[in-house]
Amino acid sequence: MRELAYLRPDDVGDAVAAVSGNPRAQYLGGGTNLVDHLKLGVTSPELLVDVRRLPLDEVEEVAGDDGPVLRVGANVRNSDLAAHPVVRSVFPAVARALLSGASGQIRNQATTAGNLLQRTRCVYFQDVTTACNKRDPGSGCSAIGGYARYNAILGASEACVTTHPSDLAVALAALDATVVVQGPDGERRVPVLELHRLPGDRPEQDTTLAHGELITAVELTAGRLTRRSTYYKARDRASYAFALVSVAGALQLDGDTVTDVRLAWGGVAHRPWRATVAEEALRGSAFSEEAVLAACERELSAAVTSEESAFKVPMVRNVSALVLGRLAKEDR
């Protein structure tokens, strides 16, 4: 039995002060990821700061510089956000990504911020008998040369080859969401594309957040492009499975010409992968399946695969063509 202290503050500032002042303190939200890791011995904090009582469970529509903004509180449950009428109609990629994640029971418990901050991991990370640089820096990476079906094919390093598990994060990456963060020095806004990081030589650090910083909200700006968005997840079984490959896309056409496009991939990297090379190749060109496949091929030119993970290259290319093809039919 491991002893740990427990704190349940009512104020955001008190929560931030408690965690930032203790290097062995962690936030507890829905607990769907952290509690598992406590049980497995993957993590052993000395203080848990429960943020579920904080007033961060509302979805609000506010005015923004570039259009209407949906501000989603950090404690909004995944199931509630997926069912929200504005999310379903204006940000369908977000609703579909949320409904692709985990199971109904977990979606009822998991929070918006917690979903984004779940640990990037593979089977070896959760097995404390194996070497893992994320869990024990410098110990090695068992996934290199081991079970590789879920390994990253983009942005990996010699220290880590695992992939980010969040479906929501991929949709938010495609829609240029912003994360609102409260820290000891006040509030700041972080583009979701800058929230997660590639492993490099520090795979134990999943995000760019400093210790003690707390996500308080996620902001999404509405527009024509967000309404023409969707999400598709390819996996080994129909539910409760991580993505082998997932794609969030948004598309805007003028006739047959691509005027704007967004493309983000899951299951391929240590963080949601925004396919900017493919996007640039498609903008201003005539839309076709062949054009999408060729654009994705350019993005995937840097992919590094093993015999087990090589299937991901054609899979992400074909799923991207499927997603954008469906959106093209809606836009015509």
Side-chain angles (χ1 to χ4, degrees):
M1 192 73 171
R2 298 183 183 87
E3 291 188 8
L4 56 82
Y6 175 83
L7 183 65
R8 195 174 189 182
D10 296 311
D11 180 77
V12 170
D14 291 342
V16 170
V19 176
S20 60
N22 185 338
R24 294 196 59 198
Q26 289 183 246
Y27 291 116
L28 172 66
T32 60
N33 190 213
L34 177 59
V35 171
D36 281 345
H37 291 166
L38 290 170
K39 292 176 179 178
L40 293 169
V42 171
T43 187
S44 55
E46 65 179 29
L47 170 65
L48 286 182
V49 177
D50 190 338
V51 297
R52 288 175 293 180
R53 188 176 287 174
L54 300 181
L56 303 172
D57 57 355
E58 299 292 331
V59 180
E60 306 171 275
E61 294 180 74
V62 299
D65 295 337
D66 300 318
V69 172
L70 195 71
R71 184 182 173 96
V72 181
N75 284 339
V76 173
R77 304 295 167 174
N78 287 181
S79 54
D80 291 336
L81 186 58
H84 194 281
V86 176
V87 175
R88 293 176 64 187
S89 61
V90 184
F91 307 98
V94 172
R96 290 166 186 164
L98 286 164
L99 293 173
S100 296
S103 65
Q105 295 93 331
I106 289 177
R107 291 194 294 270
N108 286 338
Q109 182 75 10
T111 64
T112 298
N115 187 294
L116 297 181
L117 295 177
Q118 57 186 308
R119 295 300 308 271
T120 301
R121 59 198 186 272
C122 70
V123 293
Y124 298 103
F125 173 76
Q126 301 195 143
D127 181 354
V128 295
T129 67
T130 64
C132 173
N133 287 320
K134 290 186 71 67
R135 181 174 16 86
D136 184 14
S139 64
C141 177
S142 297
I144 297 177
Y147 180 68
R149 181 170 170 78
Y150 283 86
N151 284 4
I153 60 173
L154 293 167
S157 72
E158 293 182 358
C160 184
V161 293
T162 193
T163 58
H164 195 273
S166 172
D167 295 289
L168 173 62
V170 179
L172 295 181
L175 300 183
D176 292 315
T178 298
V179 177
V180 184
V181 177
Q182 183 74 30
D185 299 323
E187 185 180 272
R188 68 187 182 103
R189 281 169 164 73
V190 181
V192 76
L193 290 171
E194 298 176 12
L195 176 64
H196 302 100
R197 59 185 299 278
L198 294 177
D201 59 0
R202 295 192 62 193
E204 74 279 6
Q205 187 173 340
D206 290 330
T207 74
T208 58
L209 298 183
H211 179 72
E213 287 192 309
L214 176 69
I215 293 178
T216 57
V218 172
E219 294 179 340
L220 283 156
T221 301
R224 180 184 170 192
L225 192 67
T226 67
R227 290 177 172 85
R228 288 286 185 266
S229 67
T230 193
Y231 181 82
Y232 187 94
K233 181 177 183 178
R235 47 188 163 175
D236 281 330
R237 56 181 182 267
S239 67
Y240 202 59
F242 291 140
L244 294 169
V245 159
S246 67
V247 175
L251 182 67
Q252 186 172 308
L253 297 176
D254 182 2
D256 288 330
T257 301
V258 178
T259 57
D260 206 355
V261 62
R262 299 287 189 275
L263 200 57
W265 296 337
V268 298
H270 195 262
R271 67 182 184 196
W273 188 271
R274 180 69 176 268
T276 55
V277 172
E279 290 176 359
E280 285 302 313
L282 288 169
R283 286 192 188 99
S285 66
F287 182 85
S288 68
E289 180 178 325
E290 292 74 18
V292 175
L293 293 172
C296 292
E297 195 65 42
R298 293 177 64 176
E299 184 79 42
L300 290 162
S301 63
V304 177
T305 66
S306 66
E307 184 177 347
E308 282 186 85
S309 65
F311 73 93
K312 289 192 175 188
V313 171
M315 179 177 279
V316 73
R317 187 175 61 224
N318 294 336
V319 173
S320 297
L322 173 68
V323 164
L324 294 184
R326 289 178 176 176
L327 293 171
K329 290 180 181 178
E330 292 178 11
D331 207 35
R332 286 170 171 161

